[in-house]
Amino acid sequence: MTRLINPRLALPVLSLVVLIVAVFWLQPRAMSYVGINLLFNLAVPIALATIAQMIIIMVNDIDLSMGAFVSLAACITAAILPVNPALGVLLLAGCVLAYAALGALIEIRQLPAIVVTLGMSFVWGGAAVLILPSPGGTAPGWLVWLMKSKPPLFPMAIVASVLIATVAHLLIMRSSFGVRLRALGGNARAVSRSGRSTVALRASAYGLAGIFAVLSGMALVGLTTSGDANIALRYTLLSIAGVILGGGEFTGGRISPVGAVIGALTLTLAGSFLSFLRLSPDWQIGAQGAILILVLAARLLVRQAEKRA
Amino acid sequence: MTRKGLLVTAAMVLAMGGGALADTSGKRIALSNNYAGNSWRQAMLESWKRVTDKAVADGVVGGADAFTTAENQATEQAAQIQNMILQGYDAIVINSASPTALNGAIKEACDAGITVVSFDGVVTEPCAWRVAVDFKKMGANEIAYLEKRLPEGGNLLEIRGLAGVSVDDQIHAGIEEAVKANPKFKIVGSVNGDWAQDVAQKAVAGILPSLPEIAAVVTQGGDGYGAAQAFAAAGRPTPIIIMGNRQDELKWWGEQRAKNGYETVSTSIAPGVSTLAFWVAQQILDGKDVPKDLTVPFLSVTPDTLDQALKDTPEGGVTNVDYTLEDAQKVIAGTK
C-alpha cells in the first residue's frame, strides 16, 4: 500500500501543528515574518545537532558528547576562524576526522558507544575551555550575515529547516551510501557478509555526524555572534529527544531525517509555549517532560493501532 | 502672548524639565534569569518580587514579570529573551548565563526598541546597559584586608569558583594581581570550590595534606564554611578565611568569635542588585540619560555589623538589601 505521507511522520507533524496553533493563539504577535523567525531561529542549530545524533542512533549507537562537541565547534568558529581562517578550517576538519576515528575505534574494539562518547564529552569540553578560556570571540562576518539574512517570503529559520531536512533526506534515505549506513544499524552481520567493511561504514557514519555537528556549532555562533565553552551543553539531551520525537527509534536503523528536523522545531516551540503560558519556572522542566511523554504515548497508541490493522 | 500665557508656558516647561520626562506607568519590564538553584539566586528573586510588586501596586510600572530558565543554559535563555520580544515587553532585565552567548538575542531585542539592562552576569553586547560588579576589585580587596591583618604575610590557599565562568576569572585576576604587588603573600594551593560549601570542603580536604601552614584562605563566596570544616576535620589551625555573606558562613564566624575572638571579613554582592537593575531600567524608560556601565556597591559584613547581619539573614540565606529608586539615582549620578 502506498501512502502520501509516511505514517511515521504523521505524529511529529501533528504535534508541531498543534503547538504552532497554540502559540499563535497565545501570542498573535508571533504570527509574522519577524515573529516566526524569532520563534524558530534557535531551532536551526538544534536541528543540525539532531540530524547528527540521528545518524549515530541510526547505526545503533548513542552520542552523549553531542553538546560538548557542538560547543567545541562553536568555540573554534568564534575564536579561531575569524582570526586565522586556514587554521580554523583545519581544526574543524580535524574534529570531523576525530569523530570518524571514534566510530572506527568503537567498531574495531566493539566498545559501547555510550561509554566512549561520555568519556569524549570531557575531552571536547576541555578542548573548548582551552581554546576559549573565558567567553568571547566574534563570529565571522559572513556567518552572521547568513544566519541573520532575511530571504523573501519565508524567514531564514524556515528556509534553513527545509534545506536541512531535504539534504538529510536525500543523503540518508535516497542515496546508496545512506542505505548502507541504515543497513549497518538494521543488520550489521548481513552488511559484513555482503563484503562491506563495517569499520569503514561506522567511521563514515560518525564522520557524517561530525560534519552536521560542526555545522550546528557554526550556525549557533552565527546566531549568538560569539562563543562560550558551555554554550551548547543542552544539545546532548535535546538532540536525542528530537530524534525520538521525530519518529526515530533507538535500534534497527529506523529513523526519519524530516521527522528529526520537525522534532527539533517542536522541542524549541514547546519551550516558547510554556513561557507564553507564564508557567512558573519550577514547573517548566516537568511540563516539558510531560509534553514529551504525551507525544511518545501517542506514538505507542498509533503503533498498536497499526499492528492491529 | 499675554503675560499670563507666558507664565503658564514657563511653568509647563519647568514642570516638564523637573519631573518625570516620560510616564512609565504603562511600561512592562521582564526579568530574564538563568538560574535559581542557590540561596543567593533565591534571595535575588524574592527581592525582585518584593520591590516590583510594590512598584506595580504604586503604578510606577505596568508590570514586572520574572522568568527563570529551567536549566542554566545560554541557548535556552536566548530563546527566552526572543520570547520576551514577542510578548512585547518594554524593557528586559537580564542576569545572563554567558557574557557573550546571548548577544545575538539581545541585539534582536534592541533592534525591536527594547531597553536591555544586564546585571550580575552582565553581557558584552554594546546596546545593553550593564550594572556590573567590580569582581576584580573584590579579589584585590581580600588581599588588602589580609595585608592589614598579616603584616608579615604568609601562605595563602585560594578557593576558586566554577571553571570557565567569567566571574571566577575576574576575582582570580584581582587576587593574583594584588599578590604580585605584595610578594610577602604566596599562593601555595588553588582548588575549585564551585561556590558551594560541599564542593569546597571536599576540594580543600583533598589538597590540605600536601600544603604547608596556611595563614589565610582567599575565597569567592559560598565556600568559606566548607573550607573551615575541612581545616577542622584535618585538625589544622584555622586560618583567616574570607567569607561571602552566606548565613552558614556568618553563623560559623559568630560561633568562632564567641569561642576565641576569631576575626575576618565577609564581602559579597547583595542579591537585591536585581532591584537596582529594575530601577535603572525604569529610569531609562523614564527617558533619563543613564551611562551604559554602572557599578554595584559591595555589601560587606565587618566584626561590628556581624550581629545585625546574623539577625537579618534568614537560615540558609545570604545577607541582602533591597535597593530603592533613590539608590539607583545615586549610582547613576555617581557614574556620570
Side-chain angles (χ1 to χ4, degrees), chain B residues 161-182:
Chain B
L162 209 55
V165 179
S166 55
V167 173
D168 169 59
D169 274 339
Q170 288 169 28
I171 298 181
H172 171 69
I175 291 175
E176 204 172 38
E177 225 166 74
V179 167
K180 212 172 269 169
N182 284 299

Side-chain angles (χ1 to χ4, degrees), chain A residues 27 29 35 38-39 41-42 134-136 148 220 223-228 230-231 233-235 272 275-276 278 281 285, chain B residues 28 65 67-68 70-71 73 75-76 78-79 82-83 85-89 98-101 103-104 108 164 166 169:
Chain A
Q27 196 54 259
R29 232 185 291 245
L38 281 177
L39 275 181
N41 64 3
L42 285 163
S134 61
K148 303 246 152 147
L220 187 55
L223 285 172
T224 60
T225 69
S226 119
D228 183 327
N230 300 320
I231 196 165
L233 294 187
R234 217 174 123 73
Y235 281 19
S272 300
S275 160
F276 291 150
R278 300 250 185 124
I285 292 187
Chain B
R28 286 159 64 235
D65 306 307
F67 296 87
T68 301
E71 278 171 78
Q73 294 291 327
T75 42
E76 203 185 342
Q82 296 193 354
N83 289 336
I85 303 172
L86 289 174
Q87 282 166 294
Y89 284 100
S98 156
T100 54
N103 283 357
E108 301 267 5
S166 55
D169 274 339

Side-chain angles (χ1 to χ4, degrees), chain B residues 23-45:
Chain B
D23 189 15
T24 60
S25 62
K27 305 278 190 186
R28 286 159 64 235
I29 300 176
L31 170 67
S32 164
N33 176 36
N34 65 315
Y35 181 60
N38 63 24
S39 54
W40 198 93
R41 289 299 176 100
Q42 287 296 330
M44 181 194 99
L45 290 171

Side-chain angles (χ1 to χ4, degrees), chain A residues 16-33:
Chain A
L16 183 65
V17 169
V18 168
L19 265 176
I20 289 179
V21 170
V23 163
F24 282 170
W25 176 67
L26 279 172
Q27 196 54 259
R29 232 185 291 245
M31 224 184 318
S32 64
Y33 184 93

Side-chain angles (χ1 to χ4, degrees), chain A residues 5-6 26 30 34 65 67 71-72 129 147 149 174 183-184 193 210 222 224-225 231 234 240 258-259 270:
Chain A
I5 306 175
N6 180 353
L26 279 172
V34 176
S65 65
S71 300
L72 172 62
V129 172
M147 294 309 289
S149 59
R174 291 296 161 95
L184 182 67
R193 290 263 165 86
T224 60
T225 69
I231 196 165
R234 217 174 123 73
I240 297 173
V258 178

Side-chain angles (χ1 to χ4, degrees), chain A residues 26-308:
Chain A
L26 279 172
Q27 196 54 259
R29 232 185 291 245
M31 224 184 318
S32 64
Y33 184 93
V34 176
I36 291 175
N37 201 37
L38 281 177
L39 275 181
F40 286 118
N41 64 3
L42 285 163
V44 174
I46 299 179
L48 285 163
T50 306
I51 293 290
Q53 182 72 259
M54 183 198 75
I55 295 169
I56 305 284
I57 288 180
M58 182 173 75
V59 293
N60 282 355
D61 287 344
I62 195 159
D63 186 353
L64 293 186
S65 65
M66 188 57 69
F69 185 74
V70 172
S71 300
L72 172 62
C75 285
I76 294 173
T77 309
I80 297 178
L81 204 55
V83 192
N84 188 343
L87 181 66
V89 170
L90 209 65
L91 279 175
L92 290 173
C95 285
V96 173
L97 283 180
Y99 238 64
L102 274 182
L105 179 77
I106 287 170
E107 180 68 30
I108 293 170
R109 306 295 311 161
Q110 288 295 311
L111 298 168
I114 196 165
V115 177
V116 175
T117 55
L118 182 64
M120 285 311 286
S121 73
F122 298 103
V123 176
W124 305 133
V129 172
L130 279 181
I131 287 170
L132 204 62
S134 61
T138 41
W142 56 270
L143 197 56
V144 177
W145 173 84
L146 189 70
M147 294 309 289
K148 303 246 152 147
S149 59
K150 295 194 166 29
L153 294 179
F154 294 104
M156 179 283 299
I158 303 302
V159 174
S161 300
V162 171
L163 195 70
I164 294 166
T166 314
V167 168
H169 182 79
L170 292 178
L171 205 61
I172 305 290
M173 307 306 276
R174 291 296 161 95
S175 75
S176 56
F177 173 63
V179 170
R180 279 198 291 275
L181 289 185
R182 277 187 291 143
L184 182 67
N187 193 337
R189 177 164 292 182
V191 173
S192 78
R193 290 263 165 86
S194 76
R196 299 271 173 196
S197 155
T198 49
V199 175
L201 273 180
R202 198 170 294 272
S204 49
Y206 272 73
L208 190 60
I211 291 173
F212 276 102
V214 163
L215 290 178
S216 166
M218 294 175 75
L220 187 55
V221 169
L223 285 172
T224 60
T225 69
S226 119
D228 183 327
N230 300 320
I231 196 165
L233 294 187
R234 217 174 123 73
Y235 281 19
T236 303
L237 290 180
L238 275 179
S239 62
I240 297 173
V243 174
I244 304 305
L245 260 183
E249 277 172 46
F250 281 121
T251 51
R254 282 192 292 271
I255 39 84
S256 155
V258 178
V261 171
I262 291 176
L265 296 181
T266 310
L267 278 175
T268 313
L269 205 58
S272 300
F273 171 70
L274 293 172
S275 160
F276 291 150
L277 270 184
R278 300 250 185 124
L279 207 62
S280 138
D282 303 333
W283 292 95
Q284 276 200 14
I285 292 187
Q288 238 157 353
I291 292 184
L292 251 162
I293 292 176
L294 208 71
V295 174
L296 293 184
R299 201 170 98 186
L300 212 63
L301 289 179
V302 168
R303 185 137 354 116
Q304 274 174 352
E306 263 175 15
K307 261 187 203 157
R308 242 177 271 136

Side-chain angles (χ1 to χ4, degrees), chain B residues 89-320:
Chain B
Y89 284 100
D90 299 290
I92 302 176
V93 176
I94 299 176
N95 192 348
S96 159
S98 156
T100 54
L102 301 181
N103 283 357
I106 289 168
K107 189 78 191 11
E108 301 267 5
C110 293
D111 290 347
I114 297 169
T115 301
V116 180
V117 178
S118 63
F119 71 98
D120 186 39
V122 291
V123 295
T124 54
E125 170 58 48
C127 76
W129 274 261
R130 274 162 293 279
V131 181
V133 178
D134 193 346
F135 285 111
K136 217 170 155 187
K137 190 159 168 228
M138 194 167 142
N141 280 353
E142 292 189 25
I143 302 297
Y145 170 77
L146 291 176
E147 221 184 321
K148 261 185 278 166
R149 288 290 307 282
L150 303 165
E152 254 96 87
N155 292 329
L156 305 181
L157 169 63
E158 185 188 9
I159 305 182
R160 297 187 58 170
L162 209 55
V165 179
S166 55
V167 173
D168 169 59
D169 274 339
Q170 288 169 28
I171 298 181
H172 171 69
I175 291 175
E176 204 172 38
E177 225 166 74
V179 167
K180 212 172 269 169
N182 284 299
K184 61 191 174 198
F185 287 112
K186 188 167 168 242
I187 297 181
V188 291
S190 172
V191 292
N192 283 94
D194 296 3
W195 302 307
Q197 307 291 5
D198 53 336
V199 182
Q201 183 175 347
K202 249 183 280 172
V204 173
I207 194 177
L208 259 188
S210 67
L211 294 182
E213 189 175 331
I214 300 292
V217 181
V218 284
T219 63
Q220 298 197 352
D223 41 16
Y225 178 70
Q229 293 300 311
F231 272 91
R236 301 186 47 146
T238 311
I240 299 176
I241 303 172
I242 309 278
M243 295 298 177
N245 288 3
R246 274 31 168 221
Q247 189 262 348
D248 46 7
E249 296 177 338
L250 297 179
K251 191 168 149 234
W252 177 85
W253 177 10
E255 285 164 6
Q256 296 298 309
R257 189 172 65 168
K259 229 187 292 172
N260 53 26
Y262 187 79
E263 203 178 296
T264 183
V265 73
S266 176
T267 303
S268 186
I269 306 308
V273 61
S274 60
T275 60
L276 188 67
F278 166 77
W279 289 116
V280 168
Q282 189 267 340
Q283 288 290 295
I284 298 166
L285 288 179
D286 203 7
K288 298 279 163 50
D289 180 25
V290 178
K292 288 261 164 159
D293 286 284
L294 300 167
T295 309
V296 186
F298 295 114
L299 183 66
S300 285
V301 179
T302 60
D304 300 329
T305 57
L306 177 60
D307 289 322
Q308 189 61 39
L310 261 175
K311 208 162 54 182
D312 294 342
T313 309
E315 185 91 23
V318 52
T319 314
N320 194 9

